[in-house]
Amino acid sequence: MAELKCPHCGKVFTVDDNDFASIVKQIRDGEFRHDVEERVSEKVDQLNEKHKLELQAKESDLKQQLQDSYAKELQKLKDELNNLKSDNQKLQAEVDAAANRQELAVQNAVQAFRTKNQELESKLREEDAAHELALQKAVKEVEDEKQKLVVKLATEESQHKLDVAEAVGKVEAEKKELEQKLTAEKEKHDAAIAQKDEVIKYYKDLKTKMSTKMVGETLEQHCEIQFNQLRSTAFPNAYFEKDNDARSGSKGDFIYRENDEYGNEIVSIMFEMKNEMDETSTKHKNEDFFKELDKDRKEKNCEYAVLVSLLEADSELYNAGIVDVSYKYKKMYVVRPQCFIPIITLLRDAAKNALSYKQELAVVRSQNVDITNFEENLRDFKDAFSRNYELAHSHFDKAIDEIDKTIDHLQKVKKELQGSDNQLRLANNKVDEVSVKKLTKDNPTMQAEFERVRKAKAEQ
């Protein structure tokens, strides 16, 4: 039996050994657990509250370390508590076995608990001090790293600004230089294109004049004007007038005759002019008029027949120059208006070469000379005339081909110059599109720096 005195009322009451041991155990266990939990909780709260804002960069690691340390200490305390529970069980067994030694054992146990508690408190204080020192050291390291990072970032930012400014200046200088070069090159190309256009215009105008009649004139008027412009110089003794004799039911357009000073005929030509624009209802072909022209030639006693035609404008045969159709009708030719004067000159020159033969023929006829020699000479004349005609035709074709080739070549040169001008324009547009943003497109560091500077300016 044990006596207990109430500290409030001073009343003394008696309890048996079991009740006393239970009370002692409750007091010992409750106070120890409460004290330990309170101390640990307060310490953890203080540490967390004190260093919450200062240790953001290493909060996870330090918190984990603190939690691990706390778990270890808590585990140690739990182990101690388990040991104490084991001791209490042993003490309880001893108390049950030896009631007379219970109070002494309780006192010894209480003393041991206090000693152990003091040791634990001392150990916790030492560990708190160590943790505090470690936290301060970690905070200092974090602050040092932060300061170093701030200095480094400030230095890099300054260097990046200088680099960007230098790059922008260099790009602007190169852009200005390139723009000047592009301007000069463009002016050069424009001048070249203008020059080529003038040349192309000249050759087109030349070809047009050679392939079409004068604007506002009919084909007959055009040919008559052409002839009259050269009549006094090139054809002073020639007869060139419209055919007004329609007694046979048809007539040509013009008759050309030329005699020498003795009255011998040099050459005679029946001309027929056919204009495509004069036949608007139906489209005719050149060969549609061959038969009638040949008939008119024979009726008017002309040596040659020439069809001056603008029909079949797309025909390569007739556009090539002088076309000999004597395989169908004797001594007949088809020409474009630009060959009107050349065919007269060609036939007249060929006839002049044969004039001596004609004069000799007249003598031979007057002397009843065998006509065989005349036929041979006439064949020679025909051969010579054919050769002259072929040479003239060949030269004319070559001249037309050269003009066409020159026009095609100048067109190609113009196209290339226009392509070059287009490329220069695209290059100029690309220079205009150059910006600092595009220069830093694939540079994450520069992008981050520019973004940080932008945000800093926005905050200000």
Side-chain angles (χ1 to χ4, degrees):
M1 299 294 289
E3 293 183 355
L4 297 175
K5 184 177 180 180
C6 178
H8 298 288
C9 62
K11 183 179 179 180
V12 178
F13 55 92
T14 302
V15 295
D16 58 14
D17 293 337
N18 293 332
D19 294 336
F20 178 75
S22 176
I23 293 171
V24 171
K25 181 179 179 182
Q26 292 177 4
I27 293 172
R28 181 180 60 194
D29 293 345
E31 289 182 355
F32 177 75
R33 183 169 55 254
H34 180 269
D35 186 42
V36 171
E37 291 177 353
E38 184 177 10
R39 284 177 176 273
V40 172
S41 177
E42 289 177 357
K43 197 64 180 178
V44 171
D45 292 340
Q46 290 176 359
L47 292 174
N48 290 335
E49 184 66 26
K50 182 178 181 180
H51 304 292
K52 183 176 180 180
L53 300 176
E54 299 177 357
L55 302 176
Q56 292 181 353
K58 294 186 177 181
E59 181 179 4
S60 298
D61 295 338
L62 295 177
K63 185 176 180 181
Q64 186 64 36
Q65 293 177 2
L66 186 60
Q67 289 178 352
D68 293 342
S69 176
Y70 172 78
K72 290 179 181 179
E73 293 299 328
L74 186 60
Q75 186 62 38
K76 289 181 180 179
L77 291 176
K78 288 181 178 180
D79 294 340
E80 292 294 333
L81 288 174
N82 292 331
N83 293 333
L84 290 175
K85 288 180 179 180
S86 179
D87 292 341
N88 287 336
Q89 290 176 357
K90 291 179 181 180
L91 289 174
Q92 184 64 39
E94 291 179 358
V95 169
D96 293 337
N100 55 350
R101 294 184 295 174
Q102 182 176 7
E103 185 175 356
L104 181 60
V106 170
Q107 292 177 356
N108 291 336
V110 170
Q111 187 62 35
F113 170 75
R114 289 176 179 176
T115 302
K116 192 68 175 178
N117 191 22
Q118 290 175 356
E119 292 177 357
L120 290 174
E121 289 179 354
S122 177
K123 188 175 181 180
L124 285 174
R125 282 194 296 271
E126 292 176 357
E127 290 180 353
D128 288 342
H131 289 161
E132 183 71 20
L133 182 62
L135 290 173
Q136 291 177 356
K137 185 177 180 180
V139 171
K140 187 175 183 303
E141 291 177 356
V142 171
E143 291 294 334
D144 293 341
E145 290 293 332
K146 182 178 179 181
Q147 188 65 27
K148 290 179 181 179
L149 182 60
V150 171
V151 174
K152 183 178 180 181
L153 289 176
T155 305
E156 290 181 353
E157 180 181 357
S158 177
Q159 185 63 34
H160 288 159
K161 288 181 178 179
L162 292 176
D163 293 341
V164 170
E166 183 179 356
V168 171
K170 186 176 180 181
V171 168
E172 291 294 334
E174 292 178 353
K175 179 181 178 181
K176 185 176 181 181
E177 182 180 358
L178 183 57
E179 286 178 348
Q180 293 175 352
K181 290 182 179 179
L182 289 173
T183 302
E185 193 69 21
K186 185 177 181 181
E187 292 176 354
K188 181 178 178 182
H189 280 74
D190 290 342
I193 290 174
Q195 183 178 3
K196 297 302 179 183
D197 286 339
E198 290 295 330
V199 176
I200 291 172
K201 184 178 179 181
Y202 167 77
Y203 279 103
K204 282 185 176 180
D205 183 64
L206 178 61
K207 187 175 180 181
T208 301
K209 288 180 179 180
M210 295 180 65
S211 61
T212 59
K213 66 184 185 64
M214 298 295 291
V215 178
E217 301 174 355
T218 65
L219 183 56
E220 293 180 15
Q221 292 173 339
H222 171 66
C223 293
E224 186 176 12
I225 290 172
Q226 273 193 317
F227 185 85
N228 288 333
Q229 287 174 345
L230 300 174
R231 182 192 290 268
S232 60
T233 56
F235 311 103
N237 300 320
Y239 169 87
F240 183 78
E241 299 294 339
K242 290 185 67 67
D243 181 16
N244 295 319
D245 186 2
R247 288 176 295 177
S248 62
S250 64
K251 63 185 181 70
D253 289 327
F254 286 93
I255 296 177
Y256 174 89
R257 296 184 188 275
E258 187 171 357
N259 298 329
D260 62 4
E261 62 273 16
Y262 301 108
N264 296 320
E265 183 178 280
I266 299 174
V267 66
S268 59
I269 308 171
M270 170 61 71
F271 283 100
E272 181 75 18
M273 283 70 171
K274 290 299 178 182
N275 189 347
E276 182 74 61
M277 298 181 66
D278 293 335
E279 303 292 337
T280 57
S281 59
T282 58
K283 297 295 181 182
H284 291 283
K285 295 184 178 181
N286 289 317
E287 61 184 14
D288 296 341
F289 303 95
F290 290 169
K291 184 176 180 180
E292 191 70 21
L293 178 59
D294 184 64
K295 176 184 175 184
D296 293 335
R297 178 186 72 82
K298 293 177 180 178
E299 290 178 351
K300 304 302 168 57
N301 296 319
C302 293
E303 185 178 1
Y304 297 98
V306 176
L307 176 63
V308 182
S309 172
L310 285 173
L311 304 179
E312 299 182 63
D314 297 330
S315 174
E316 294 183 3
L317 174 63
Y318 296 113
N319 289 335
I322 299 173
V323 180
D324 184 0
V325 294
S326 58
Y327 60 90
K328 287 187 176 181
Y329 296 94
K330 185 179 178 181
K331 294 186 176 183
M332 183 177 292
Y333 301 91
V334 180
V335 298
R336 293 303 188 191
Q338 65 266 23
C339 296
F340 170 65
I341 297 298
I343 190 64
I344 297 177
T345 304
L346 184 65
L347 295 176
R348 185 183 69 166
D349 292 342
K352 282 183 177 181
N353 293 331
L355 181 60
S356 60
Y357 299 112
K358 290 183 178 180
Q359 293 173 349
E360 291 178 2
L361 178 61
V363 175
V364 169
R365 284 177 177 174
S366 65
Q367 297 177 355
N368 296 320
V369 178
D370 192 350
I371 200 170
T372 304
N373 294 329
F374 168 74
E375 292 178 348
E376 292 178 355
N377 292 331
L378 186 58
R379 283 195 297 269
D380 293 338
F381 161 71
K382 289 181 177 180
D383 293 338
F385 176 78
S386 297
R387 286 195 298 272
N388 291 336
Y389 166 74
E390 292 295 334
L391 290 174
H393 187 277
S394 175
H395 289 311
F396 184 84
D397 290 344
K398 288 180 180 178
I400 295 297
D401 290 341
E402 289 300 323
I403 291 174
D404 290 337
K405 289 179 181 178
T406 302
I407 292 175
D408 292 339
H409 176 70
L410 292 175
Q411 290 285 9
K412 291 179 181 179
V413 172
K414 178 181 178 182
K415 185 177 180 181
E416 293 297 328
L417 290 173
Q418 289 175 342
S420 176
D421 180 69
N422 187 47
Q423 294 299 322
L424 290 173
R425 179 181 60 77
L426 294 177
N428 188 41
N429 293 338
K430 291 181 180 179
V431 170
D432 293 336
E433 293 173 358
V434 173
S435 64
V436 176
K437 184 176 181 181
K438 289 188 175 181
L439 292 175
T440 59
K441 180 181 178 181
D442 298 325
N443 192 333
T445 304
M446 294 294 292
Q447 290 178 354
E449 287 302 317
F450 279 110
E451 182 66 19
R452 190 181 63 78
V453 171
R454 185 185 65 78
K455 290 183 178 179
K457 288 182 179 181
E459 291 176 356
Q460 291 177 358

